[in-house]
Amino acid sequence: DLSGAIADLQFLDADTLFVPSLDKHVYIVSLAGDSVSVSSFATKDWVWTTAAAKDGRVYFGDFGGTFYAVDI
């Protein structure tokens, strides 16, 4: 359950959704096959940004200026 607003939704590829939020977390939703899995990553501040993804890693920043590179 999210405790903050979802800033935007972005597909990183055909099966992976990037969900930044205002609850100081980013959620990665995998839609592969018939199952859905969600993983979360805690951040220092709100995340309301478009991400970049390459080679199994997602890159994004938060409102406080921290840059993240997270394996997905």
Side-chain angles (χ1 to χ4, degrees):
D1 291 329
L2 289 171
S3 62
I6 295 173
D8 199 4
L9 299 173
Q10 175 190 355
F11 273 102
L12 299 174
D13 60 32
D15 299 322
T16 309
L17 188 63
F18 176 76
V19 184
S21 71
L22 302 184
D23 70 352
K24 298 184 181 178
H25 283 80
V26 165
Y27 300 89
I28 305 296
V29 180
S30 175
L31 307 169
D34 291 334
S35 64
V36 174
S37 64
V38 178
S39 56
S40 67
F41 179 79
T43 60
K44 293 180 179 180
D45 210 337
W46 293 355
V47 178
W48 192 328
T49 186
T50 301
K54 184 171 181 173
D55 297 330
R57 187 167 284 167
V58 63
Y59 303 89
F60 61 92
D62 68 19
F63 269 25
T66 303
F67 180 76
Y68 301 89
V70 178
D71 291 328
I72 54 173

